[in-house]
Amino acid sequence: MNVKLLIQKAKNVALNSYSPYSHFRVGAALLTKDNKIFTGTNVENRSYGGTICAERVAISKAISCGHKEFKAICVIGLDYDKFLPPCGICRQFISEFGANIKIILANNKDEYKITSIKNLLPLDSLFELKE
Ligand code: THU
């Protein structure tokens, strides 16, 4: 797994963020089992609840192109110097596709740390079935 490449892709796509309300540009890069990378950025809406996070955009792009197995997802806030963990909905969304998907949390200082969805969303009953 080329972590640096995933971070670079997440950073690049974050430039396309549609975030006129929060001005918080997020990028995600999703690595499939067969080593393809799908990217996504947050897409906000004037009805705030209609906003979709970068992670869910990347996953939805991959699914709609026929990819359902994932090794890792990297997420970065372009203007954020801290690690940006996925929100609750995104944790649930990611967990749909497996307990062992690695979550690469990057910041804009070229640092990262790696965790897993199982770690971020413990006690998910589906993990019993999916492992
Ligand atoms: N956001 C993401 O895209 N991913 C995350 O992991 C956290 C939050 C977006 C949603 C919203 O457009 C903006 O960041 C501020 O919350």
Side-chain angles (χ1 to χ4, degrees), residues 3-81:
V3 174
K4 293 264 146 82
L5 178 64
L6 287 174
I7 294 173
Q8 195 52 55
K9 295 254 183 197
K11 262 188 186 171
N12 286 348
V13 75
L15 294 171
N16 298 329
S17 168
Y18 179 75
S19 44
Y21 305 102
S22 71
H23 303 286
F24 193 75
R25 298 177 293 172
V26 183
L30 176 71
L31 182 66
T32 68
K33 192 181 175 190
D34 53 350
N35 296 317
K36 291 195 167 50
I37 298 175
F38 287 87
T39 58
T41 190
N42 52 334
V43 182
E44 298 188 341
N45 193 271
R46 65 181 180 271
S47 174
Y48 294 173
T51 293
I52 179 164
C53 295
E55 297 93 316
R56 279 177 282 145
V57 170
I59 292 172
S60 299
K61 281 169 69 179
I63 293 289
S64 49
C65 291
H67 298 270
K68 291 190 182 61
E69 292 186 78
F70 308 122
K71 290 186 197 170
I73 186 164
C74 171
V75 57
I76 187 165
L78 211 54
D79 314 293
Y80 199 51
D81 60 7

